[in-house]
Every structure is written in structure tokens, then in C-alpha cells.
Amino acid sequence: MNRDAKSDVSPHLDFVLRVEEEAADGRPTAVLFLNLCRLACSDVRPEDVDRKFLKILLDSLGIDRAAVLRHLPREDSHAVQNSLGFPQPARPGIEPPDPVETFYYVGDESGSGLLEDGLRRAVGARYILWVFDARSGKSLLLGNSQRETRRGFVLDESSREIAEAALELYLRVSGQRITSFRQAAAAQRLDLLFHQTSDIILVLDVDATIAYVSQSAKRILGHAPEDVVGRSAFDFVHPEDRLRFKAGFIREIESAGVSEQMEFRVGHADGSWRHFEGVTNNLLEDPAVAGMVVNARDITGRKLLEEERENLILSMGDRVKELCCMYEVASSIRGLSSQEEIFQTVAGLIPPGYQYPEIARCRVVFDEKEYVSEPFEETEWRQSSDVIVDEVRRGSVEVFYLEERPEIDEGPFRKEERDIIDGIARTIGEAVEHRQAEKDRSELQKTIEASKEAISITSFGGTMIYTNPAMDDLFGYERGELIGKSPLILSAASDPMERAKEMSKVLEKDGIWEGEYLNRRKDGTEFIGHVRVTARKDEDGKVVSYLTAQRDVTEQVRTNRQLQFSARLLEIANRHTKMKSMLEDFVDQILEFTGCSAAGVRMLDADGNIPYEAQRGSSGKFYELENPLSVNADRCMCVDVINRAVDPELACCKGLGCFYTNCAARLLEGMSEADRSRVRSICSNFGYESVALIPVCSRDKVHGLIHVADERTDALSPDTVEALHQAALLLGEAVDRILAQEAQDRAERQLEEQRALSIASDRLRSLGEMAAGIAHELNQPLVGVRGLAEHIMIGLDRGWKFPDENIREKVRLIVEQSERMTHIIDHVRVFAKEAGQPQVDRVQVNDVILSSAGLVNAQLRARGVELKFGLTEDLPFVMANPFSLEEVILNLIGNARDAIEERTNLDPVTTESEILLRTREGNGSQDGEGRRVLIEVVDRGIGISPENLPKVFDPFFTTKGPDRGTGLGLAVSRSIIEELGGTLEIRSELDQGTTATISLKAEQLDGKAPEVKRG
């Protein structure tokens, strides 16, 4: 210690210094202080430190602890026993009293306890020490205090000086415990940053006690850090170097800020001694370190070379130049800055060190790049050694002789030269490893410091030992402010401890945890971080620290949430065709997205009312009061939003016609009494503080509004209102679409009704046209019936005698013709009723054609048109409604008739007044369609122009006059045939005629009916 540097600390330090100087003589006081120093820097539990201190002090003063126990008053004896660790004697019938005081007491002038509370105060404070002795019944008081003394004895000046000095030294040394946590945190951080370095980093207290040692000590010296910390550094220094090391250590303490380099030997765990070169920096005044930092590098290899050089000089004078060369090589490796300079210098220094330097040449190869001595020539006489870096061969050192020389140990080379070249190659490899480790560590540190991600390292005990600038900036803390604090202070989770336990389970199992976490900055603002935590484990697989990297993803999460919200609303809008169900699903999604307690959608009707079409969360009373709201009779913010009358100057107005507030009560308080009297204030009356009203619009038309409410204040953020505004726009488009669809459905229903009326009209017109044919069909059997009846009546009037067989025959003929008439009437009646119905049956198309012809044949002949038939026999059955099929055939016959008559009016001479009805079997136009039955209606009428041919199946398209049809015939006919699974095609050329072809699926050979579309 430096007497001048420390004399101002305490008046007792002079004595302390004097005793230290006498320690070498083995005096008892020196032993006392050494014991106190070891105690102060040991790992003894805090509650045991002070008791042991007192024992050491009392022993040094020669006070008999047993005598103290015997002579102290009874009420004090138990406290003394507790302090000194003696067992309490058992006394029958007497319970030992609870200890009320400790045997010793150290305090300051205020009376506050120090050592008994396990506290440490700054050096220079005023302390009090009580020591009692039973022989005199008096006490010793150290320090200045007015506290009343107790029984004890006053020691002589020598004992008093010893006690005061011992106390002073103890407090000074144990005061280093103030920084114990900081040193532990710094040690863990240094351990993370330097555990791979080739050097050993130590932090020593002022008495050379080791406070920290890097993990490299285990690899280099075989000593585990936990076995070294707390011991004196002098214990590991070679006895011959110890005094020199201690002197240098003291000089460094005296010369703060000046680094001193020294060489010394350190004991290896295997009992050997290794040479180290150390640089010491005095950082005692730095509160982050509070110690002496020693950077020790293993130079055993270099020392071996130096020793070998000296030995060779003594034994072989002719080898001096070689050893000097090797020394220069080792020095160049340490001193040069770049690898290229090292390799090139080594290549030039090695040849002069060999036995025959004039013919020696050297080549250093590293990563396939060569560095050679000048001049260089490769020969067969070669000695080489591999350069190993991190257990991988990276190159070699080679020496060549240009001429043959006598064989010695290894060809022309000596065994000493083998050792030298191996040592140089090994030194090169170690130098490269060291430089690469330093470079990697530096680059890693720079990368972490410059990283945009927030990175922190947390010890296994749960305190942060490192944070990069991005981490401090993200959470709003000053640089280094988070060191020593728990990461839980950064959590905004509802139960941070429970969340931490969940993360720990995952880390213990998988070694990594990744996810989103709600964080809180220093200013109280919260954000969502994407966090990745990695557990760092030691060689035994035990977790020693946690590396955490995170970034702020609040905006990304908010955007994704809004996109998901919009996507769900879009899906609802596209899926629904009914207004009610769509609005209900919209409200459910709005409640889930906003987290509010109530939401609804009002729709404006034609009378100005805006009732809720969908509503969730509100009470029945609220709904009862709010539902009858009208834009014509009421005044409230809902009506203003519907009428687009929201004041844009309001601070709570979002713009675009939206309104929201996070404190309805405060909004109402800001209104005048007159304005409040005109407002309904139902939301506020029911306790809703946060309210948002979003108009549902499309193309400048307001359909209604979205109403969101919650009892909490500040439940609606501007981002949430913006998302609701986008939802309202989407809802407006969906409402437009559904309203348009409903209008279209109404139009289609009206069109269908009109179509049905037109079809019925066409069918009545067809029946009217068939009336003549039907009359003709009925006339023939009527004439026969009448003739037979008249003949019988004449015979009866004249008294003719008819044989019974004659009468029976005539009656039979009358019945037969009557049945024929009944059949004709029934057929017409069923045709009028059943045509167009979905019922189907097995049908022979030839029968349907003949039946149809029978209804119109007479009418056609009357108009000069002849029906011709080309019916193929034995056609397969088809599945059809015979009356619907008959209706189609009659429609096609009617069209053919009209075409023939139109052409006849233009060219009566050449027009063929025939309609051909033919049937045949064919195949489908596409593979897999199977057998088909074809019905063709052919005429040689006026034909259809090319521009009109594509339109013939359009509803209401016709080229006939208004009194000759509605234009629905072919459209209805094709619809009927397609429902039967068939097709209807029209081929026509102007002035050449028309062919209409019906194609129906034939019944399958296995008896299964073809599939038919039912109604």
C-alpha cells in the first residue's frame, strides 16, 4: 500500500500500514489482519461474517470467550452464546429467554446498526464497536458516540489501537462488497465476450483477491473459474516470482492510470508452471469494475524457445545465430500487424538460422498462398511442418537445402531444427487463431452494437447483463440503465411471472422461444414485440444465460389484424344474399374486432326511420328507446351522421362523416345547456362512454350507420375508427349489391309471371287454331252416330223388325264412335292441362307425332298444307312428358305452316306446301352421349335470314305480326326439350326452308331410364 495515498482515509490507517510492513516478520498483528482480509473477501454468508470477525478480533486481544459467558448477567448470556456459536445449556424448568441483543454492536453516530444488519457503509464514516469482558465488567467503546455504555472493560492503548485499526481495515476491505453485484454482472458479461480469447482476463481487488477470471483459464491453466475466484492471485504465482509480482502490483495501485507489463510464472492444474506476460490496468476508481484488470498471455512457447536458445548458446556456440533467428521469428509474429507481413518475414528469417544458411531456402504456405525467401528454389532436400489452426491444416512451413549435405538426424537436418520448425509452425497457428478470435469477437461486438434489432443478454439468475443501443432506444432507457435489472420490468403482460414460467418451460425443452410479446417502455407506452429467446448452455448442458432479440411489430400486427378483419367482412359480403343475416354477421365481426360491449347497424327506410336491423350487446331497454329513432322527428348524433350534418370542427370527428368520442360525459359537459336539452343522450344515460357512429354509404347515398359503444373510456383508437370506416364502405357496397339483387329478383319474378301468361296465351291460341281440326275429328263420328240413330228411329216409326244381331251391331257402332269423340275431347283437355308439367314416362315418339298430327291435320288441309311422314319403326323409348313433347311438335308444325304460307304469298307457283315429320335413331354429337332419338320437322317455306337465325330462341323475338304470337314459342320449346335432357336445333336458309331437329336420349338397353331434369 502507499502510505501517502491513503493517509487521508482514516487516522488509523497509519497503524494498518505499519502492521502490514511488519507482516513479513511473522508478528501476531499481521496474522490478525491477514485473517480479517481473507474473511472480508471470502464467500461466507452475510449473517456469519460479522460473528467470525468478532471471534478473530477477540482471539487477537486475548479475551477468553468462556469467561465472558460465566460472568455476564443472565439476561445477556444467551445473546452472547448466540453470537459466539456456543450451545445453550439446558436448565430444567427454565425456558431460555429470547436473545434481545447481540454480544457485539457496531453502529454509526445515529445509532443505526451496521454489521449486525449485514450492511456495509463507506470508508470514513463514524463507527462504534462494543466489546465486553467479564473480568472488569466494563466496556470498550470505539469511535465517538454519546450512547450510554454497558458493562465491559477498557483495554490498554495497545489493545485499543489494535481493535480500532482492525475495525478500520475490516470495514475498508469489506466495503468492496458494495460492488459485488456489479462485479458479478460485469463478470458474466466479460465471460460472454471473452470466453474464447487466447488470453486470461482477471479482475483483482486491492489486496490481490481474484474477483473475476475468464473461462479461458480452464483451457489454458486447467483451473475452473469458480475454483479460483476468492483466492489470492499470489497463491498461483511461482514463489520465485511472487515478491516481484507483488511489488509490481503495488506500483500499479500507486500509479493509477499507468499500465505496467511484467512476466511471471503461474501454476497449472497438473502441477507444471507456465510462463505468462501480463499487463495490469488500475480501474479501482471505475465503479463499473472497481478492481485491477490483468490481461495475461501464455508465453510458455516463447519462453521455451528463449530457454532453448540460451541452452544452445551455452552448449553449442555455433548455434547462436540459429537461436537468435528463431527468437526474431517469434518476435516478428508478435509485433507485425498483418498476416501477410508475418508470413513473408518468417520466410526471410528462417534460412539464416539453419546450419547451412547459404544454401537454405524457406517457403511458408497458408491458405494456398505462398510466401518465399529471396532467392527461392525448391529441391529434394526438404524439412516441413504443418500450420494447424483450430485443428485444421491451413498451410505449412518448409525449408530446402540447395545442395546435398551429410545425413544427421533427419536427413541433412538436426533434431533441434525439427523442434524449431515445429515450434514456428505451432506459433504461427496460435497467432492466427488468436488474431481470428480477436477479429471475430470485435466483429461480433460491432455487429451486435450496430444491429437494428434490440439485443440483450440475461443471466440465468434473471438480470440483464448486456443491452445493445437498439435495445435501450426501443424501450427508452439510457445506455446501460437496464444492466442489473430484471426483464420483467419491460413486460406489459397481465401476469409477467406466469408468462415467464411458460417461456422457461419451452426454453428448457427446445432451447429457443419465439413469439409475440406485449412490452412496456420507460414512459409507460406499450408495444408488441416479436421476440426470439435462445438459451446458452455450458459444456454440461446447463443454461448459463439467455440471448434475446426482438423488434417492434406493433404496426405490422395492427395492419395484419385490420386486413384479416377486412377479409372476413369481404367474405361475409360475398357469401350472403339476404340483408338480415349479412348484417348480423357484420355486427359479430365488429364486436370481435373492437372488443367493445355493444354494436349494431341501423338502416334508413323510405319513411326516414333508422331502426336496428342487427344489434348485439345492448339491453332490451336501450333497444326499446333507440330503435324507433327517426331522422325526421329526433335529434341526436345518429341523425346528424345519417343527414351528414356532423360538425367537422369537433375534435372527436374523424372526418368523412364519422363521429366518435372516448368520453361521452365530457362531450356533453362541453355543450351549452340549450344544446344539451335538444339532444337525446341515450348512450350516455346508459353508461356508454366510448361511442363511434360510422355512416354506411355508397355512391353518395347513405344507407344507414354502424353504431359501436362501450362503458370504458378510451376504448376506441383512431386506427379502430379508421378500420370501421373501411368496413362501412364495404358494407355499403354489399348493401347496394343485395338491394340490386332484390330488385332483379322482383323483376325476374314479374318477367316469369309475364312469360307464364304469354305461354298460356300462346297455348290458348294454339288450341284455337286446333279447333277446326278438332271439329273435323269430332264431326266424322258424330255423322256416323247420327246416321245409325236415325236409321233405328225410322225403323221403329215404320214398325220394321230388326234382328237382334242387327240392333246390337248398330249400338256397338254408336258406342265406338262415342268413345272416339270422348278420347278426342279428353286428349284436348289433358293437353291443355298437362303440357309443361314435369311428370315424365316412357314414350314412343312416333305415337306423339301421330297424335299431334291428328289435332292439326284437318286445319292444315283447310289451309292447303299437307303433312307427310317419314317415321322409323322400332325406335327406342324416350323419357318425356308426352303432352309437353306434343306441345313442342305442334309449335314447330305451326312455325313451318306460317313459313310456307309466307312464301306462298310471295311465290304461289313454286312453293311446296308440305311439312315433313320424320324420326330416326342417331348418336350424340359428343363422345359418351350414347343413342339418341331424333325428330325432324322440315318445311320448304320462306326460311330465316342469317342475321335473325341466332335470335330465334330469344324470348319475345318474332318476325310475325302482333296478332300471330308473342315470340316465346321457340324459347319455351327449347326449355322443355332441355329439361328432358335433349336439344333443339334450327337450321335454315332464306328462301330454302327450315329444319327443326329434336334430339332426345334413348332409354338404356338395361332398362334404366335416362336422367331427366325434373321441373
Side-chain angles (χ1 to χ4, degrees), residues 750-768 770 831-837 883-884 887-888 891 953-956 965-976 979:
Q750 293 174 357
L751 181 62
E752 185 62 28
E753 292 172 359
Q754 183 64 33
R755 177 174 174 270
L757 291 174
S758 298
I759 292 173
S761 176
D762 274 4
R763 189 168 290 144
L764 290 175
R765 182 178 63 80
S766 298
L767 289 174
M770 291 188 295
F831 172 82
K833 179 180 179 182
E834 297 295 333
Q837 296 300 313
F883 300 103
S884 296
E887 179 181 2
V888 174
N891 183 268
F953 291 113
D954 292 347
F956 304 107
T966 62
L968 288 172
L970 285 178
V972 173
S973 295
R974 185 168 71 169
S975 175
I976 293 173
E979 288 178 357

Side-chain angles (χ1 to χ4, degrees), residues 392-494:
V392 177
R393 184 184 183 276
R394 298 279 295 276
S396 63
V397 178
E398 302 169 308
V399 176
F400 300 90
Y401 277 165
L402 299 180
E403 301 173 2
E404 185 177 5
R405 287 291 184 270
E407 295 248 349
I408 306 178
D409 297 319
E410 184 181 331
F413 302 102
R414 295 177 179 273
K415 63 178 182 179
E416 290 84 1
E417 291 170 340
R418 161 54 60 191
D419 294 338
I420 291 173
I421 195 172
D422 287 346
I424 292 174
R426 183 170 58 253
T427 303
I428 291 175
E430 291 175 353
V432 172
E433 286 181 0
H434 176 73
R435 287 170 179 264
Q436 188 61 47
E438 289 294 323
K439 181 180 178 181
D440 292 345
R441 183 190 63 78
S442 177
E443 291 298 323
L444 177 60
Q445 181 72 10
K446 291 178 182 178
T447 301
I448 293 175
E449 291 288 317
S451 174
K452 299 300 182 183
E453 280 202 335
I455 298 175
S456 62
I457 299 175
T458 304
S459 68
F460 180 73
T463 57
M464 288 179 282
I465 58 178
Y466 172 77
T467 59
N468 71 342
M471 178 75 175
D472 298 326
D473 294 342
L474 179 62
F475 286 90
Y477 285 85
E478 296 295 328
R479 191 77 178 102
E481 189 177 355
L482 288 172
I483 302 301
K485 293 182 171 61
S486 169
L488 295 180
I489 69 170
L490 308 177
S491 174
S494 57

Side-chain angles (χ1 to χ4, degrees), residues 304-332:
L304 290 175
L305 289 177
E306 293 175 351
E307 291 174 3
E308 186 173 3
R309 170 175 171 266
E310 294 174 359
N311 292 333
L312 288 175
I313 289 175
L314 295 175
S315 62
M316 300 175 60
D318 59 340
R319 299 294 297 176
V320 171
K321 60 177 181 178
E322 300 172 6
L323 296 177
C324 290
C325 174
M326 297 304 102
Y327 179 79
E328 291 298 326
V329 168
S331 298
S332 68

Side-chain angles (χ1 to χ4, degrees), residues 574-819:
N574 291 331
R575 172 165 48 89
H576 282 281
T577 58
K578 301 299 182 183
M579 185 76 72
K580 184 71 174 179
S581 59
M582 181 189 71
L583 295 179
E584 289 176 347
D585 282 358
F586 255 78
V587 170
D588 290 339
Q589 290 299 322
I590 289 171
L591 282 176
E592 180 180 346
F593 175 75
T594 61
C596 292
S597 59
V601 177
R602 293 179 177 274
M603 297 300 291
L604 179 63
D605 63 20
D607 298 326
N609 299 317
I610 47 175
Y612 283 107
E613 294 296 332
Q615 186 267 343
R616 296 281 193 277
S618 297
S619 65
K621 187 65 176 177
F622 178 88
Y623 180 81
E624 180 183 343
L625 293 174
E626 277 289 279
N627 199 55
L629 198 63
S630 170
V631 298
N632 300 323
D634 298 306
R635 181 183 176 192
C636 70
M637 198 58 69
C638 290
V639 174
D640 289 346
V641 169
I642 292 290
N643 291 332
R644 295 186 175 181
V646 177
D647 184 0
E649 298 299 324
L650 283 176
C652 52
C653 178
K654 182 66 180 175
L656 303 174
C658 302
F659 166 84
Y660 82 102
T661 178
N662 276 310
C663 187
R666 186 166 57 245
L667 177 67
L668 292 174
E669 289 174 0
M671 293 183 177
S672 65
E673 187 65 32
D675 288 339
R676 281 200 301 270
S677 65
R678 292 194 296 269
V679 176
R680 299 171 72 246
S681 305
I682 300 299
C683 290
S684 179
N685 294 341
F686 276 82
Y688 292 125
E689 288 295 334
S690 297
V691 179
L693 305 173
I694 317 296
V696 178
C697 308
S698 65
R699 300 181 184 87
D700 297 329
K701 180 181 179 181
V702 178
H703 293 295
L705 62 81
I706 295 174
H707 183 194
V708 180
D710 195 89
E711 294 84 355
R712 299 168 296 166
T713 58
D714 299 320
L716 296 168
S717 67
D719 290 338
T720 300
V721 177
E722 179 64 31
L724 290 175
H725 174 63
Q726 297 300 322
L729 293 177
L730 181 60
L731 180 57
E733 296 294 330
V735 169
D736 261 358
R737 178 180 57 80
I738 290 180
L739 292 177
Q741 184 64 45
E742 290 176 350
Q744 180 180 346
D745 292 344
R746 287 193 299 270
E748 288 179 354
R749 286 195 299 270
Q750 293 174 357
L751 181 62
E752 185 62 28
E753 292 172 359
Q754 183 64 33
R755 177 174 174 270
L757 291 174
S758 298
I759 292 173
S761 176
D762 274 4
R763 189 168 290 144
L764 290 175
R765 182 178 63 80
S766 298
L767 289 174
E769 291 178 349
M770 291 188 295
I774 295 171
H776 176 77
E777 290 295 323
L778 291 175
N779 186 56
Q780 288 183 347
L782 279 174
V783 170
V785 169
R786 181 177 180 178
L788 289 172
E790 288 179 347
H791 184 262
I792 293 173
M793 289 185 66
I794 291 173
L796 291 174
D797 290 342
R798 295 179 179 180
W800 295 347
K801 299 294 185 178
F802 294 102
D804 293 341
E805 293 180 358
N806 195 343
I807 294 296
R808 185 178 292 105
E809 177 64 19
K810 292 181 183 298
V811 172
R812 185 186 64 77
L813 290 174
I814 290 173
V815 172
E816 182 179 290
Q817 294 301 316
S818 297
E819 289 178 349

Side-chain angles (χ1 to χ4, degrees), residues 361 363 370 376-380 382 398 400-402:
R361 302 291 184 266
R363 176 172 62 193
E370 296 184 355
F376 175 76
E377 182 180 346
E378 184 175 349
T379 68
E380 60 180 294
R382 169 179 172 272
E398 302 169 308
F400 300 90
Y401 277 165
L402 299 180

Side-chain angles (χ1 to χ4, degrees), residues 473-477 489-490 519-527 552 554:
D473 294 342
L474 179 62
F475 286 90
Y477 285 85
I489 69 170
L490 308 177
N519 294 314
R520 179 179 290 111
R521 294 185 176 91
K522 185 178 181 180
D523 61 8
T525 59
E526 297 179 356
F527 70 94
D552 186 353
T554 305

